[in-house]
Amino acid sequence: RVQNFDFIRKYLFLIIFYFLSRTYNDITYILIKYLSRTFILPTIKNITIFISYTAADAEVVNAVENYLLDCGYDVKRDIRDIKDYDSINDFMNGIRKQDYVIPIVSDNYLRRNNCMYEIMQLLKDDNFSEKTFPIIIDFSKTSERPYNFFDIQYRIEITSFWENQEKELKNAINKISLENNVELANEYRLIKNYAQTVSVFLEWLKSKLVGVISADSDSVKIQSTAYDIVINIDKIISKK
């Protein structure tokens, strides 16, 4: 009987959601959030999801996180959970200990040291392909940049970015005495690996992508797209 009641609640919610979504705006978003909590009370899952992101994409990240929480997942995010770790590196290294990972990947993301470090740690996990659900924040083509996230020209651009970072750091280190450049040398080794890491990661993304959000999306579009993406992720996890 309980199962039947849960099914009826979810079915009623989907009907309501369908009619509300036809006139989607800020008001209907609030109603949908309220009804989702009222009609589909999330079952708390003993499943952790690590969100890898850059603060520049906070609006998208917040939307994805909120829907994951609505689905009952234990979401790991630095602004809330880093206090449980000894350092930011320990937190980033913990990416492999989580059940699943959602990297929210944008042009900004791929130019951040910490984000690339998290991806490098993730790629060391033998099961990373099965546990990772990448979301892309795509950018629009312009006359100065006549390609988008998925074109080979972009992979060349971002790989060249890290190669140039490597060269600049190497030149700077060579100007410092050996006894004073130990920490910089460690940083250099990481950055040297990022050019290869980003190329491998971008190639892999194409086969595992779970959703795309345009960088030009307004708040309403971000919310509706994030909802669809999280529902898709939830369905995939439920089948495992």
Side-chain angles (χ1 to χ4, degrees):
R1 291 180 179 179
V2 173
Q3 288 180 341
N4 289 338
F5 179 67
D6 286 342
F7 173 79
I8 293 171
R9 282 198 308 176
K10 293 180 180 180
Y11 185 72
L12 286 172
F13 171 77
L14 289 174
I15 294 173
I16 295 169
F17 175 77
Y18 170 75
F19 287 105
L20 287 175
S21 64
R22 297 182 69 179
T23 56
Y24 202 90
N25 54 43
D26 289 339
I27 296 175
T28 55
Y29 165 65
I30 293 170
L31 285 171
I32 288 169
K33 290 283 287 183
Y34 172 77
L35 290 169
S36 68
R37 293 176 186 277
T38 303
F39 285 88
I40 308 181
L41 296 174
T43 301
I44 302 302
K45 302 177 174 71
N46 189 25
I47 296 174
T48 59
I49 297 181
F50 185 107
I51 299 183
S52 178
Y53 70 101
T54 177
D57 303 319
E59 185 176 10
V60 171
V61 178
N62 291 340
V64 171
E65 178 188 26
N66 287 335
Y67 287 126
L68 287 170
L69 292 171
D70 286 346
C71 288
Y73 292 105
D74 180 7
V75 181
K76 302 297 181 183
R77 185 175 173 185
D78 57 356
I79 60 173
R80 181 181 54 252
D81 299 302
I82 200 168
K83 65 182 184 298
D84 298 328
Y85 295 80
D86 293 332
S87 68
I88 189 170
N89 278 349
D90 285 342
F91 176 78
M92 292 189 293
N93 288 336
I95 193 170
R96 286 187 286 165
K97 297 179 182 178
Q98 311 309 324
D99 296 314
Y100 297 98
V101 178
I102 297 178
I104 299 181
V105 185
S106 65
D107 185 49
N108 287 317
Y109 179 97
L110 293 174
R111 297 175 191 270
R112 297 291 191 272
N113 279 12
N114 286 350
C115 297
M116 290 307 304
Y117 182 82
E118 288 177 355
I119 291 302
M120 196 163 67
Q121 296 307 307
L122 178 62
L123 293 177
K124 293 177 182 178
D125 190 326
D126 291 338
N127 297 319
F128 87 91
S129 185
E130 298 301 319
K131 65 186 288 183
T132 307
F133 302 107
I135 299 171
I136 298 298
I137 301 177
D138 197 8
F139 51 84
S140 300
K141 296 180 180 180
T142 64
S143 56
E144 295 79 19
R145 202 186 202 183
Y147 49 87
N148 64 19
F149 200 97
F150 301 97
D151 293 329
I152 187 66
Q153 293 96 321
Y154 178 67
R155 197 186 311 176
I156 294 170
E157 175 189 325
I158 204 68
T159 302
S160 297
F161 170 81
W162 284 111
E163 288 181 344
N164 290 333
Q165 292 289 303
E166 174 199 342
K167 291 174 184 176
E168 290 176 11
L169 184 56
K170 184 176 182 179
N171 291 335
I173 290 174
N174 288 338
K175 297 176 182 178
I176 301 174
S177 61
L178 289 175
E179 60 268 24
N180 292 325
N181 71 13
V182 176
E183 291 300 322
L184 287 174
N186 291 334
E187 184 74 11
Y188 170 75
R189 281 192 288 273
L190 285 174
I191 289 178
K192 185 177 181 180
N193 288 327
Y194 289 166
Q196 181 178 4
T197 298
V198 74
S199 181
V200 171
F201 183 62
L202 286 175
E203 176 63 24
W204 171 81
L205 272 182
K206 294 186 296 184
S207 62
K208 286 293 182 177
L209 191 62
V210 294
V212 178
I213 298 177
S214 171
D216 299 327
S217 298
D218 59 23
S219 296
V220 173
K221 183 64 175 177
I222 287 173
Q223 293 290 343
S224 61
T225 307
Y227 176 86
D228 291 339
I229 292 171
V230 170
I231 291 300
N232 184 34
I233 291 172
D234 189 45
K235 288 178 180 177
I236 295 170
I237 292 176
S238 298
K239 293 177 180 178
K240 289 183 180 291

